[in-house]
């Protein structure tokens, strides 16, 4: 997978960031580098969306991770690019050590039609029917969340296992 390198210059916010080209329902990697603030604690890439029924929609937000070289890497799954459009934007936003938001720039985003057949469905954190394997019995046991009378939640497994 190719990487989109985005060079940030917070002292020149009037200058647009690099144009990024992505495929509809295809993944992408953004590496944010350049003259980044020294006190940057977090960084996110906001991906613009096409309007729905002529009404604007909130941007998708993806967290980036700091690399050893000081750059920030952000993997964007296919569900970040559900619609083909040549008029989208992406924004780079950070947070400093005092948790103050910092806009670091905006660039054009072109999402081209793509035959890769990705999925626009955001995956669940954990499937509703999640099972764990018991190597002693060779069976799978369903994970369940249980709440006590005080509302404290604990994770348990059903005692009866199933073959899969």
């Amino acid at each position: 997978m190719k990487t989109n390198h985005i060079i940030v210059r917070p002292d020149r916010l009037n200058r647009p960031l690099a144009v990024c080209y992505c495929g509809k329902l295809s993944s992408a990697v953004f590496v944010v580098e350049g003259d980044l603030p020294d006190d940057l604690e977090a960084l996110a890439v906001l991906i613009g969306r096409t309007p729905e029924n002529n009404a604007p929609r909130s941007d998708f937000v993806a967290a980036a991770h700091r690399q050893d070289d000081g750059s920030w890497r952000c993997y964007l799954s296919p569900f970040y690019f559900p619609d083909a459009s040549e008029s989208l934007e992406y924004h780079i936003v950070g947070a400093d050590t005092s948790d103050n938001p910092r806009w670091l720039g905006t660039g054009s985003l072109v999402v081209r039609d793509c035959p890769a057949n990705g999925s626009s469905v955001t995956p669940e954190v954990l499937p509703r029917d999640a099972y764990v394997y018991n190597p002693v019995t060779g069976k799978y046991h369903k994970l369940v969340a249980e709440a006590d009378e005080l509302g404290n939640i604990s994770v348990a497994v059903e005692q009866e296992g199933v073959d899969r």
Side-chain angles (χ1 to χ4, degrees), residues 110-143:
V110 177
V111 180
R112 304 277 173 139
D113 218 2
C114 175
N117 267 343
S119 173
S120 63
V121 177
T122 304
E124 295 181 39
V125 174
L126 196 63
R128 292 179 193 263
D129 293 331
Y131 288 82
V132 292
Y133 180 70
N134 181 339
V136 174
T137 64
K139 298 203 180 262
Y140 290 85
H141 298 267
K142 185 175 180 181
L143 284 174

Side-chain angles (χ1 to χ4, degrees), residues 31-84:
V31 172
V32 181
E33 51 200 343
D35 187 20
L36 295 164
D38 294 332
D39 62 346
L40 205 59
E41 284 291 315
L43 190 127
V45 177
L46 282 63
I47 300 294
R49 299 174 66 192
T50 56
E52 186 172 49
N53 299 326
N54 292 327
R57 294 192 286 176
S58 298
D59 293 340
F60 288 123
V61 179
H65 302 282
R66 187 189 321 254
Q67 304 299 294
D68 292 338
D69 64 1
S71 65
W72 292 76
R73 183 180 189 278
C74 182
Y75 170 74
L76 298 155
S77 300
F79 57 83
Y80 284 97
F81 310 107
D83 303 311

